[in-house]
Amino acid sequence: MWLLNDPRWEGFMTKQSEQDDTVVSMERYAGKSGAAPKVDEYIVEIVSDSGEGAQKCGQTFGAISGKMGNGVWTVEIIPAEIQPPARSPAGASGIRIRVGSRRVTNMGNEAELVVAFNEQVLFSRIANGAYREGTIVLLEDKWKEDPDEKIRAQYASAVKEFQEHGLVVHELPMEQACLKIVANARRGKNMFVLGMICYLFSRDRELANKEIARTFASKGEKVIRPNIDLFDSGYAFAAERLEYHWEIPVDETADARPTIISNGNQAVGLGVMASGMELVSMYPITPATSASHYIADVFDGVGGFVHQAEDEIAAIGFAIGASYAGKTACTITSGPGMALKTEMIGLAVMAEIPLVIIDVQRGGPSTGLPTKVEQADLLSALYGEPGDAPKVVIAASTIEECFHFVILARRLAEAFRTPVILLTDANLATGVQPYPRPQLQEEWLSAPVDQSPWDDQVPAYDWDQETGLSQRPIPGQRNGEYVLTGLAHTTHSKVAYDSDTNQESMELRSRKLAALQKTLKPPRVHGDGMGDLLIVGWGSSLGGIEEAVDRVRAEGRRVSSLHLRFLSPLEPGLKEIFSHFKQVMTVEINYSDNLDHPLITRENRRYAQLAMVLRAQTLVDIDCWSVVYGHPLQPGMLQRVIEQRLQALNN
Amino acid sequence: MFGLKADWSADVFERYFTLGDYAGGEARWCPGCGDFAVLNTVHRVLRDEQMPPEKTVVVSGIGCSSRLPHYVGTYGLHGLHGRALPLANGVKARRPDLDVWVGTGDGDCFSIGAGPWIHSIRYNMDMVVLIFDNGIYGLTKKQTSPTTPAGERTNTHPTGAPLPALNPLTVTLGISNVSFVAQVPDWNPPLLYQAIKLAHQHRGTSFVRIIQRCPVFSDSFCKPFQEDPERLLLLTHEHGLPMDESVLRLFPEQRAHDPCNWLGAMEVARDQSRLPVGLLYHDPDAPVYEDLSAQGLNKTNEEKLAVIEKALDNFAI
Ligand SMILES: Cc1ncc(C[n+]2csc(CCOP(=O)(O)OP(=O)(O)O)c2C)c(N)n1
Ligand SMILES: [Mg+2]
């Protein structure tokens, strides 16, 4: 139980006065019924016990908004357990939806409105800094009259506590209203709430009805009907009870290309199919599994197969076997699974087997934070194998990139005869965002397996001395017979017993990365090419970082940012770009020591992962700022960090 | 080789494979090692079955025995310790046209590879799995393996292996969807040949445990059986391994055993006093996993693109 003077309230709850006035002003709350005031964007949360359908409600709201042409970003709030105790702060399950007139690239700062199915779940969101003074709370009020005296007392004291901290609480009999339509409100309140927020944000009702019908399509009319009734009744309920009403107009100048809306794991799944992958070999692990769920649903159509292996080692082994036999394969996993796969990744590097490995990162080490975001597998992806195991490592920074990078990864794997690790994370996996509909291309699909005779003059590893590149024989090709081995081997794939061969083949495998790097362009700087501070990021933090940088730049400060997609090889020209800034600092969602602590010095400080790589590679004294709260980086928080660094720099 | 077809036209085989077509690098096992016998038999079965070398893939883990692929002139995949089976399953998954063989040791299969062993028997993909069981870790020089007899002195247990040995036959027979279990000693060439040939002809995962001599590290593993044939029990049956008088003569102990009879197989497998030799179990109808995993191989690009467009439609705004 959080106490009134619990330090958690402090700092996490930002005072209205500290808010940037471009983001919020009290007028936003004065939207009395009548003409709906227009707002640029709005952040809504729906929070409940798990199993009450808050996520489905929010996803549908996001889809409706996306289809209306709004920018959308959703973030799921997932408890670590499947059935945590009811009415407990740790059990908070729900979703945040940020809707804007224009493209939205991240989860934003504090929510401005939250619908809560009980009061307890709000406490953990408060502790996460999800709200601020003035945030509107639409709270289920049935607990007020609960037969259990303890619950009644908890409810009363929480409401008081919320109000004293400036939350604008509306106690509403949502349950009661739902019971007029369904016998079990637990199974319907989410659509009722959807109706409420669709009213509040002037959503297109017809579109909403279609979306509900789509959501329950597999269950038939007898389920669709009551859900539409619930929606209508929630809509009317809000119109009658609430004084708020907004419009989030669509910026008509925005990109008019055909658009799709999906989460990152679905984007990965679509990418797997569009890249011509034939086999996904996996072992269930959060937050990666839903990608395989999606693929399993649709893979038949393209003739693909999802293999659920007995463990992650077998999963990647199966994929390597298939790839060795000429079939395009990938394995999808998260941190603990990556750890198990390292020996096999080493084999794929050593024997030069094309393979795509998708790591949907979560918090580590060990079981860590299974449902939460972290970008902490970078170093293990780069260096996780014993011995030197050069491979390609790329990271998607948007949901759209989740799609395209699978295709990129597959093509790189084939062209460079190497495993390619694609890093995404929990934030991308469950976040939902609209993006331009990919224009499918036939050449993205894999070519049929070459079964023509192999030129017997060409050895199995006919390394080009310049680039290290070579073609591989595929079983079935006459005269190509060779034995793939993880042992040091010669150009003919014979076990190497002399030391020169090992030195030479290691050079050539490494050379492939240099050859790839020569084909890359230097990354684009967001903002000016010179200034005081350059923020460097990678992965899903792109939207948050750029939004924060834009805000600080709007204050006239000299800050820019740069986002890396290639981590191995690194994109070219970094040292040159860095040289135009007084200070370079990475911003990452992984652990680093904070220099403020008396024991931490520049000599013993453990840096964030990209910072470590960049320091080693460029010899620039790169600073870092990184945290592991398990949630995506809020632009507001980053803005303050950047301002502080700039101030320190200029003093 | 010529064959006459019904219309009396002579059919000339375009290719005829000799033992030389299956020769790989020169085998580097110790003198007296049982692995040579297995290698020669594999060569002969491949020749007799006329398997095109380019369509044959020999997969292995790590160990002395796992050097097998290097000594066969087909495609080969010398993988990781304990992981031969997942690799082999993957090869077969989308390429049912390939003929897959697996060579693995007692440590490789029953210890580090125990997980894949169990699950691969369930997958029952069409392949021959040869377990070179010498009751010891050979390559790493005489450590206790799961099949090292209790009391046997090894470098990790100098006073004797402390645990009762694992029985790979009962374990394998106990796994759902098991379809072929045979056991043979490496020093009986005709039986070894018949076991491997029958295994190759079976569609499914053929588990062949070969009791293999290692004169350097585990001489005592095979010696008792070589010196006292009464410690072996020959399984005879019309559906078992084909064998002639010369073989039958060598085995004073024999039992008629129908390989369809799973309970009977369990019974002989459990008998600690006599090591069963022959075909313990055979179910030619157990489902094979590639019938699932290799579906949809013939989809055209047009079909695929249409399906992916439809998938995108589902996310369209
Ligand atoms: C992950 C891993 N652990 C350990 C080893 C070392 N190792 C190589 S072979 C082997 C045991 C081999 O014994 P077995 O499978 O019985 O084969 P044999 O040499 O007897 O034919 C071990 C422990 C390894 N290569 N990889
Ligand atoms: Mg052994």
Side-chain angles (χ1 to χ4, degrees), chain B residues 256-293:
Chain B
H257 165 70
D258 181 349
C260 294
N261 177 359
W262 182 86
L263 268 182
M266 259 306 188
E267 198 186 315
V268 289
R270 283 192 54 192
D271 184 353
Q272 301 287 316
S273 60
R274 287 171 312 176
L275 199 68
V277 168
L279 181 58
L280 284 94
Y281 185 66
H282 188 195
D283 173 3
D285 299 321
V288 298
Y289 192 66
E290 61 265 36
D291 282 349
L292 286 178
S293 68

Side-chain angles (χ1 to χ4, degrees), chain A residues 50-104:
Chain A
S50 77
E52 292 188 303
Q55 280 145 11
K56 182 165 277 179
C57 170
Q59 282 153 359
T60 315
F61 182 68
I64 296 164
S65 301
K67 291 185 179 183
M68 286 177 68
N70 286 112
V72 178
W73 185 279
T74 69
V75 187
E76 290 181 7
I77 300 155
I78 310 171
E81 298 156 51
I82 299 284
Q83 282 184 320
R87 293 177 43 77
S88 65
S93 168
I95 189 160
R96 160 180 288 215
I97 315 103
R98 186 181 182 192
V99 181
S101 292
R102 282 174 293 276
R103 208 169 102 83
V104 177

Side-chain angles (χ1 to χ4, degrees), chain B residues 65 105-108 132-139 145 212:
Chain B
S65 43
D106 44 318
D108 200 58
F132 296 65
D133 191 344
N134 53 5
I136 201 75
Y137 285 8
L139 190 69
S145 102
Q212 176 233 317

Side-chain angles (χ1 to χ4, degrees), chain A residues 152-334:
Chain A
R152 293 200 302 272
Q154 279 179 346
Y155 178 83
S157 90
V159 169
K160 188 159 162 272
E161 201 173 325
F162 296 158
Q163 284 166 340
E164 281 171 3
H165 282 87
L167 295 176
V168 181
V169 183
H170 295 273
E171 300 171 73
L172 299 168
M174 297 184 261
E175 173 105 355
Q176 212 180 43
C178 292
L179 288 175
K180 289 183 191 145
I181 297 165
V182 283
N184 178 3
R186 208 182 141 75
R187 296 217 142 260
K189 203 186 279 175
N190 61 342
M191 289 297 120
F192 182 87
V193 170
L194 178 64
M196 287 172 60
I197 54 178
C198 279
Y199 166 77
L200 291 176
F201 297 97
S202 325
R203 303 290 82 180
D204 183 330
R205 283 181 83 162
E206 203 179 309
L207 223 163
N209 282 349
K210 267 200 220 142
E211 207 48 41
I212 294 170
R214 218 172 70 101
T215 307
F216 297 103
S218 62
K219 306 219 166 99
E221 189 57 29
K222 68 177 192 304
V223 174
I224 296 174
R225 194 63 254 165
N227 276 296
I228 290 189
D229 290 346
L230 282 160
F231 174 90
D232 288 343
S233 127
Y235 197 95
F237 178 92
E240 187 186 316
R241 298 264 180 162
L242 296 169
E243 302 195 319
Y244 311 104
H245 196 47
W246 299 274
E247 220 183 285
I248 311 169
V250 174
D251 180 0
E252 299 298 346
T253 62
D255 199 340
R257 280 178 294 175
T259 304
I260 60 171
I261 181 165
S262 80
N263 69 32
N265 274 355
Q266 289 162 334
V268 162
L270 290 165
V272 162
M273 289 199 292
S275 70
M277 215 73 85
E278 282 190 35
L279 177 76
V280 172
S281 183
M282 52 75 70
Y283 185 81
I285 185 167
T286 304
T289 320
S290 68
S292 302
H293 291 178
Y294 172 64
I295 298 167
D297 251 358
V298 288
F299 217 17
D300 267 11
V302 291
F305 183 70
V306 175
H307 172 61
Q308 179 180 331
E310 56 270 29
D311 60 43
E312 279 93 348
I313 305 175
I316 185 173
F318 197 93
I320 289 177
S323 177
Y324 164 75
K327 295 294 185 169
T328 48
C330 70
T331 185
I332 309 180
T333 190
S334 188

Side-chain angles (χ1 to χ4, degrees), chain A residues 38 47 52 57 71 132 138 143 161 189 198 228 272 304 344 421 431 441 485 488 553 565 615 624 626:
Chain A
K38 293 188 166 62
V47 197
E52 292 188 303
C57 170
R132 62 162 167 248
L138 307 182
W143 313 106
E161 201 173 325
K189 203 186 279 175
C198 279
I228 290 189
V272 162
M344 280 285 181
I421 298 178
Q441 289 171 34
T485 178
R553 288 179 63 78
R565 270 75 172 185
R615 289 170 67 88
C624 61
S626 69

